């Protein structure tokens, strides 16, 4: 399964929203009815960390300015108001089917 | 809290072998599925391998199938990755990753260990 993220780079003004799209080459709905799509954040020089799983569930400690949505093959990560600590690369990832795959990554930077 | 510490990285020649280890703490290791993932310098993430909590089932990415072997020792809270027939394109930071409770998603990542394959 190929995941295509757009845009690949997103210069954003502090306090403004940002949106990242992730499109899958095939449906991510598992035979059990669940959709295994997650979003990870990788800050500069750090390992990735889980932001959102099951399309829209925020992981423990993740600020509510992050939200996920979508279904089937089209998914979106939204940051309602970008903060300085949000700078980094964001990846969508599917775990519906082996091999698990990641999108190419979207770099969020401050204008 | 969850801690995952990778070790064993280094420089190896093409065709060589290397064994990575990950020592886990802060959670019940023997109840969680574990993964290896990697990231080539300046590139994106790539899933490498998965092993169920009891070690009975494993799966691999296409690029490492037949060359890499994932294993675990639940008595020592250790995850391993045996890498054989290494190629230049295997050069990457290798991460040990724990799944969320309930499975299916990659929750906690170690800091990684760098493997460089070069002549």
């Amino acid at each position: 399964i190929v995941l295509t993220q757009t845009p690949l780079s997103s210069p954003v003004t502090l306090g403004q929203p940002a949106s990242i799209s992730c499109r899958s080459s095939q449906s991510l709905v598992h035979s059990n009815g669940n959709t295994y799509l997650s979003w990870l954040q990788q800050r500069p020089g750090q390992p990735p960390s889980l932001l959102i799983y099951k399309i829209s569930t925020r992981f423990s400690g993740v600020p509510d300015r992050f939200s996920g949505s979508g279904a089937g093959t089209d998914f979106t990560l939204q940051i309602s108001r970008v903060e300085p600590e949000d700078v980094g690369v964001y990846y969508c990832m599917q775990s519906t089917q082996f091999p698990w795959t990641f999108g190419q990554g979207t770099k969020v930077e401050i204008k | 809290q969850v801690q995952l510490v990778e070790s064993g990285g280094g420089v190896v020649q093409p065709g060589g072998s290397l064994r990575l280890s990950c020592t886990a703490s802060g959670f019940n290791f023997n109840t969680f599925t574990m993964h290896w993932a990697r990231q080539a310098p300046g590139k994106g993430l790539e899933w490498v391998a998965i092993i169920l909590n009891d070690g009975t089932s494993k799966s691999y990415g296409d690029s490492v199938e037949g060359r890499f072997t994932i294993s675990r020792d639940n008595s020592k809270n250790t995850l391993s990755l045996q890498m054989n027939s290494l190629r230049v394109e295997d050069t990457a930071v290798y991460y040990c990753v724990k799944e969320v409770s309930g499975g299916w998603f990659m929750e906690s990542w170690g800091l990684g260990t760098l493997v460089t394959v070069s002549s």
Side-chain angles (χ1 to χ4, degrees):
Chain A
I1 296 177
V2 177
L3 300 179
T4 303
Q5 289 183 227
T6 54
L8 297 183
S9 178
S10 180
V12 185
T13 301
L14 284 174
Q16 292 300 301
S19 181
I20 301 169
S21 170
C22 175
R23 179 161 288 179
S24 175
S25 60
Q26 56 188 272
S27 174
L28 297 184
V29 180
H30 192 274
S31 57
N32 65 13
N34 293 320
T35 300
Y36 297 106
L37 186 282
S38 56
W39 291 93
L40 298 98
Q41 175 194 58
Q42 187 172 30
R43 293 183 171 126
Q46 298 291 317
S49 61
L50 181 62
L51 272 183
I52 286 175
Y53 61 103
K54 277 193 285 191
I55 304 176
S56 59
T57 302
R58 276 188 300 275
F59 186 59
S60 173
V62 174
D64 60 8
R65 64 178 180 273
F66 291 93
S67 63
S69 62
T73 60
D74 289 292
F75 304 91
T76 302
L77 174 70
Q78 291 186 309
I79 311 174
S80 60
R81 298 172 308 278
V82 172
E83 303 275 340
E85 61 265 31
D86 300 337
V87 165
V89 180
Y90 292 78
Y91 296 90
C92 58
M93 182 192 145
Q94 70 81 20
S95 43
T96 292
Q97 182 180 123
F98 286 119
W100 292 11
T101 50
F102 296 88
Q104 323 95 298
T106 295
K107 188 173 186 178
V108 171
E109 52 195 358
I110 305 301
K111 273 185 192 173
Chain B
Q1 74 277 23
V2 173
Q3 276 204 309
L4 301 166
V5 180
E6 302 93 339
S7 60
V11 180
V12 61
Q13 291 189 336
S17 298
L18 209 57
R19 186 177 182 87
L20 305 183
S21 294
C22 169
T23 301
S25 61
F27 64 101
N28 291 326
F29 182 73
N30 61 8
T31 63
F32 284 90
T33 295
M34 297 293 293
H35 301 255
W36 287 98
R38 69 184 182 182
Q39 186 169 35
K43 301 297 184 182
L45 299 168
E46 182 184 8
W47 176 78
V48 172
I50 182 176
I51 184 168
L52 293 191
N53 66 305
D54 59 4
T56 55
S57 185
K58 309 170 187 181
S59 185
Y60 299 90
D62 293 341
S63 61
V64 307
E65 177 84 60
R67 301 187 298 123
F68 289 13
T69 302
I70 189 171
S71 62
R72 64 192 295 161
D73 184 340
N74 286 344
S75 69
K76 296 181 180 177
N77 286 4
T78 300
L79 178 72
S80 297
L81 186 68
Q82 176 65 42
M83 305 185 296
N84 298 330
S85 304
L86 282 161
R87 305 168 180 166
V88 171
E89 55 266 32
D90 294 319
T91 294
V93 173
Y94 285 74
Y95 295 104
C96 169
V97 190
K98 168 190 172 291
E99 276 195 5
V100 296
S101 179
W104 297 93
F105 299 100
M106 301 171 96
E107 172 200 296
S108 300
W109 297 60
L111 294 180
T113 187
L114 176 62
V115 172
T116 303
V117 185
S118 173
S119 54

